[in-house]
Amino acid sequence: MSHHLPHGPQDGPGPVRGPAVVVRLAAIGAVVLIAAAGFAYTGGWLSPGRLSPDRVVDALEANNGQHPGFRRNHAKGICIAGMFKGNGAGPALSKASVFAGADVPVIGRLALAAGRPDVPDASSPVWSMALRFLPVAGDEWRTGMNNIPVFPVRDAEEFAGFLVAMRPDPATGKPDPAAVQAFLAAHPATAAALQTIKAAPPAASFATATYNGLNAFRFVNAEGEAAAVRWSMVPEQAGTEQPALSGPNYLFDELIGAVRQGPLHWQLVVTVAGPADVTADPTVAWPADRQRVAVGTLTIDTVEGEDTGSCRDVTFDPLVLPAGIEPADDPFPAARSAAYAEGLRRRDGEVKQPSAVQVSAVRAGEGG
């Protein structure tokens, strides 16, 4: 049985036209920008002063308000746990022990890409899956992924301009469409990235979403052969209809109900870059004909509220890497690493209000 996945057609993004389109893209961009803020400190992004991790977290708090004890971004979430099992295809790409074929315990988190812990689920179309793989022999791996196909900016200068363009107008609480349109006209890569995000089919639920690692890393196998890669978690459970549940926590409620009925599964799919593919520009999706290799299955069989769950005090630092996985030339993982550490330092010891999603540990099959 082949572990290589079929390729589908991929249409390029169309031009950005009209104020209505600009406003829709601005709404997408605003959500993604919140998710991006943790990357901003690298290289003095917001001239003239270099941004440090503490200033990034200050900016997140200024945008979202003070919510002691919560993550400064992706504040509303739920803990997940289960196992990962490699299928034998991974070692050809990476010597990481997670791909050796043994059952690997996993803890993680599903969350909304927003900085407020009390936002209604319907307000955030961008979701994240963060995972911590814990092989018995050590050599753990942490990663964070999002349900969007690309990132909206490619470098520090563009990020700074995007931040200014997306600044909410105090009178409306929304970005100025004229400022957004001017920025997109001057930065076609961002316009194309936002079109790609907008064109991607929306997921119906946490369980049926594909989560993409938007940054490139290097896989190194036992022979020392290296390849630039990105990875995705592709759901085995299908579904295109929105959950029938309602209320501010309907996505989380649907997830809890799904796990009660049985475990959820995703295939970890690694995309290998071609020789000419850019690895430091996350606005660009690699061509659809690139090699894609399914290397194993993630099974989630437990969900738990994060007030007491296993993910509560974990930072899903993208630079916690096993032998066989290395950073590439993308600067964002290092930026995220530093900002996550600063966020953890601040929330450690803070008195936290109860999370919006309250549930004791639910294990697969408890629903009968």
Side-chain angles (χ1 to χ4, degrees):
M1 174 177 165
S2 172
H3 298 293
H4 296 257
L5 302 185
H7 310 297
Q10 184 176 35
D11 297 326
V16 178
R17 296 191 180 98
V21 172
V22 170
V23 171
R24 286 198 299 271
L25 293 182
I28 295 170
V31 174
V32 178
L33 182 62
I34 293 171
F39 305 161
Y41 90 98
T42 298
W45 281 28
L46 301 184
S47 300
R50 176 182 171 87
L51 276 182
S52 60
D54 62 315
R55 288 181 60 195
V56 171
V57 179
D58 286 345
L60 285 168
E61 292 176 348
N63 287 347
N64 299 308
Q66 296 287 331
H67 305 285
F70 288 93
R71 296 167 198 262
R72 271 42 180 187
N73 193 21
H74 296 252
K76 183 179 182 180
I78 194 170
C79 295
I80 56 177
M83 289 283 179
F84 176 81
K85 187 174 183 63
N87 60 18
L93 295 171
S94 171
K95 63 184 178 183
S97 61
V98 69
F99 302 128
D103 287 344
V104 176
V106 176
I107 62 172
R109 190 170 182 266
L110 287 166
L112 306 180
R116 296 181 59 90
D118 55 353
V119 295
D121 291 358
S123 70
S124 179
V126 181
W127 314 331
S128 65
M129 173 187 276
L131 300 172
R132 183 185 186 193
F133 298 82
L134 295 163
V136 173
D139 212 20
E140 74 172 84
W141 176 27
R142 303 186 193 185
T143 182
M145 297 159 283
N146 292 279
N147 69 327
I148 52 176
V150 293
F151 199 68
V153 293
R154 60 184 179 180
D155 59 32
E157 181 180 358
E158 290 182 358
F159 183 89
F162 190 48
L163 185 65
V164 173
M166 298 302 300
R167 182 173 298 159
D169 184 329
T172 65
K174 299 178 181 180
D176 177 2
V180 175
Q181 188 164 21
F183 180 85
L184 295 178
H187 298 84
T190 296
L194 290 178
Q195 287 280 18
T196 300
I197 294 168
K198 176 177 175 289
S205 66
F206 283 132
T208 59
T210 293
Y211 299 93
N212 302 303
L214 303 178
N215 304 116
F217 288 79
R218 279 169 30 105
F219 273 13
V220 182
N221 65 18
E223 288 70 44
E225 299 167 330
V229 302
R230 292 172 178 166
W231 50 74
S232 303
M233 282 292 180
V234 180
E236 291 188 357
Q237 47 278 338
T240 58
E241 295 184 1
Q242 293 292 323
L245 301 172
S246 61
N249 304 326
Y250 78 97
L251 286 171
F252 294 96
D253 293 340
E254 193 276 340
L255 174 72
I256 293 164
V259 172
R260 280 200 174 103
Q261 297 304 312
L264 304 175
H265 306 281
W266 284 261
Q267 288 289 313
L268 176 57
V269 178
V270 176
T271 300
V272 181
D277 289 338
V278 177
T279 55
D281 185 353
T283 69
V284 177
W286 293 342
D289 63 355
R290 293 296 178 257
Q291 181 187 19
R292 300 178 70 225
V293 184
V295 298
T297 301
L298 171 70
T299 298
I300 296 301
D301 60 10
T302 304
V303 292
E304 186 174 6
E306 63 178 346
D307 286 347
T308 58
S310 58
C311 72
R312 184 188 64 182
D313 298 323
V314 177
T315 61
F316 294 94
D317 184 336
L319 294 186
V320 176
L321 300 169
I325 305 178
E326 301 175 352
D329 56 352
D330 191 328
F332 286 167
R336 289 169 56 199
S337 177
Y340 291 178
E342 174 61 17
L344 177 63
R345 185 191 68 79
R346 294 194 188 190
R347 74 175 187 267
D348 184 30
E350 291 179 341
V351 177
K352 177 183 176 183
Q353 296 298 312
S355 296
V357 183
Q358 290 289 311
V359 59
S360 299
V362 172
R363 294 175 176 82
E366 288 185 346

